[in-house]
Amino acid sequence: MIEDAFPRNLHPYWPKLQEKTRSWLLEKRLMSADKVEKYADGLCYTDLMAGYYIGAPNDVLAAICDYSAWFFVWDDRHDRDVIHGRTASWRRLAVQLHAATEAPQLHLDHRDPLVAGFAESLERLYGSLGRTWNARFARHFHVVIDAYDQEFRNRMTGTIPSVDEYIALRRNTFAHWIWVDLLEPAAQHELPTWVRKNEAFTRAALACQDFAAWYNDLCSLPKELAGEELHNLGISLIKHEGLSLQEAIVEVRRRIEGTITDFLDAEIEVERLAAATENIGPHGKELADAIRSCMSNMRNWFSSVYWFHHESGRYAVDSWDDRATPPYITDTEPTEQTDQVGECA
């Protein structure tokens, strides 16, 4: 369905992005030099974003790619904090990220590379549009941090959320609305509320992000079962709906296919909205172009996510020495110093 209906695209700046994000990960001490050399390109983090935000200015796309790479590193730190029971370390990090979200300029030299890298990428993103967009992005990211905190508590207590609880939580841990927000700086246009809250536009945005989250669940299920994870649509279906592993895989695939259908239906309605917008005032054509840019990049998300999961070493579990420990992380027990500054690779 994806290969036929959603042609793959890559931003022409992509080859440079690989080099830039590799350098950024080293500069911000988010990955060690040997890990960057061996794994950074194969993880395909820049491929994912370069396949999504087509048309973005080069500097905006570079900031998005660095932020995305940071997000994966943060996700790995969260996982290691759970596995090693580092509750105090996680709580401290969550508080620091909340603070950096509001004032990134005050955290650029933070002693934890994860906080400093986040602040630097965020400050670049905050320079893309205006204060109202910045405030919305910050509001959405506070929710993401809180959702990660909820997942941390669930894992520490062995709580597998119900299917509905999981879907609601996943929409926040996957940062659905963050990636949708970033469509606007890519289009160089902040959308008015009446467009963003339009039923068809919202449905399309939710469909492309649910597709991404659930396809990720499908592809990462072996990795997460090996690591005794609790947060995966398949795991919730097994635990709370009594499905076998194979039945859960079939059900996740069914839901994924449903998001594709939902998007294609909503896409038609949003095009009608864009066409009608062309005649609204002197800037109608400009707004219509921005709506179409956002929709086109939502469409790109399907192919980009699909190919990312088939090409990234992040999901090549069968090739790892330890199926529960990804080789691209540095998984050493923290000393007092590293617990402060982060061993986040």
Side-chain angles (χ1 to χ4, degrees):
M1 292 177 71
I2 297 300
E3 292 180 23
D4 291 343
F6 298 88
R8 189 181 194 183
N9 297 297
L10 274 175
H11 195 289
Y13 196 52
W14 169 70
K16 276 288 186 183
L17 288 171
Q18 281 195 316
E19 176 186 336
K20 285 182 173 293
T21 296
R22 275 201 311 270
S23 298
W24 186 79
L25 287 167
L26 281 171
E27 177 191 343
K28 298 303 175 185
R29 297 183 295 131
L30 292 169
M31 291 180 75
S32 61
D34 62 319
K35 300 289 185 182
V36 169
E37 177 67 25
K38 190 170 183 180
Y39 297 111
D41 287 354
L43 290 170
C44 301
Y45 295 159
T46 55
D47 303 41
L48 178 63
M49 296 295 114
Y52 188 18
Y53 297 101
I54 306 299
N58 291 351
D59 60 334
V60 171
L61 185 60
I64 292 173
C65 280
D66 290 348
Y67 171 78
S68 172
W70 171 87
F71 203 108
F72 282 109
V73 174
W74 178 47
D75 186 74
D76 291 334
R77 165 83 79 85
H78 176 267
D79 180 65
R80 296 296 108 180
D81 279 352
V82 170
I83 287 172
H84 295 301
R86 299 196 295 252
T87 302
S89 175
W90 167 253
R91 298 280 185 247
R92 181 168 55 250
L93 177 60
V95 168
Q96 291 165 347
L97 292 178
H98 276 301
T101 299
E102 290 300 318
Q105 71 278 6
L106 301 181
H107 296 79
L108 297 174
D109 298 317
H110 197 282
R111 60 185 177 178
D112 185 336
L114 204 61
V115 177
F118 171 70
E120 197 274 341
S121 67
L122 197 59
E123 187 165 65
R124 287 152 65 198
L125 292 173
Y126 279 178
S128 302
L129 292 174
R131 291 184 178 180
T132 55
W133 184 90
N134 294 354
R136 174 165 31 104
F137 187 95
R139 189 166 63 250
H140 287 162
F141 195 73
H142 285 307
V143 172
V144 174
I145 298 169
D146 289 342
Y148 263 78
D149 192 47
Q150 178 63 55
E151 185 173 301
F152 186 94
R153 293 195 300 271
N154 286 351
R155 290 181 66 183
M156 292 300 288
T157 58
T159 302
I160 299 176
S162 70
V163 173
D164 288 344
E165 289 170 342
Y166 172 75
I167 289 172
L169 181 64
R170 182 63 163 149
R171 286 172 174 168
N172 290 327
T173 57
F174 196 82
H176 277 29
W177 302 113
I178 290 294
W179 308 117
V180 173
D181 286 338
L182 289 169
L183 292 166
E184 294 168 68
Q188 302 178 71
H189 195 107
E190 185 174 348
L191 298 179
T193 302
W194 63 266
V195 172
R196 290 187 293 104
K197 299 296 186 182
N198 175 271
E199 188 273 337
F201 187 90
T202 300
R203 188 153 42 92
L206 194 59
C208 77
Q209 293 302 307
D210 278 346
F211 168 83
W214 299 346
Y215 199 74
N216 176 267
D217 282 1
L218 186 65
C219 294
S220 62
L221 187 56
K223 168 189 170 191
E224 293 178 348
L225 287 171
E228 299 183 345
E229 241 283 24
L230 308 176
H231 294 84
N232 185 293
L233 182 54
I235 293 172
S236 288
L237 286 164
I238 292 168
K239 170 68 175 179
H240 295 285
E241 303 295 331
L243 274 59
S244 67
L245 174 59
Q246 189 56 44
E247 289 169 338
I249 290 171
V250 170
E251 175 60 15
V252 173
R253 287 176 61 93
R254 186 191 68 79
R255 290 174 184 246
I256 291 168
E257 291 172 358
T259 66
I260 299 171
T261 302
D262 288 347
F263 177 82
L264 293 174
D265 290 343
E267 186 180 40
I268 296 169
E269 296 180 38
V270 176
E271 173 50 35
R272 293 193 190 108
L273 174 68
T277 302
E278 291 181 348
N279 301 315
I280 300 177
H283 302 293
K285 181 64 166 62
E286 180 183 338
L287 177 55
D289 288 345
I291 294 171
R292 291 187 174 109
S293 169
C294 291
M295 284 302 301
S296 176
N297 283 335
M298 286 185 204
R299 165 174 271 276
N300 286 333
W301 197 230
F302 288 89
S303 60
S304 191
V305 164
Y306 174 83
W307 288 109
F308 170 69
H309 283 87
H310 290 283
E311 294 174 349
S312 174
R314 193 173 177 86
Y315 306 100
V317 181
D318 290 338
S319 68
W320 301 352
D321 293 335
D322 177 356
R323 289 170 62 88
T325 306
Y328 48 83
I329 66 167
T330 300
D331 190 30
T332 56
E333 289 294 332
T335 64
E336 182 178 351
Q337 180 182 12
T338 57
D339 189 42
Q340 291 287 332
V341 303
E343 49 80 39
C344 55

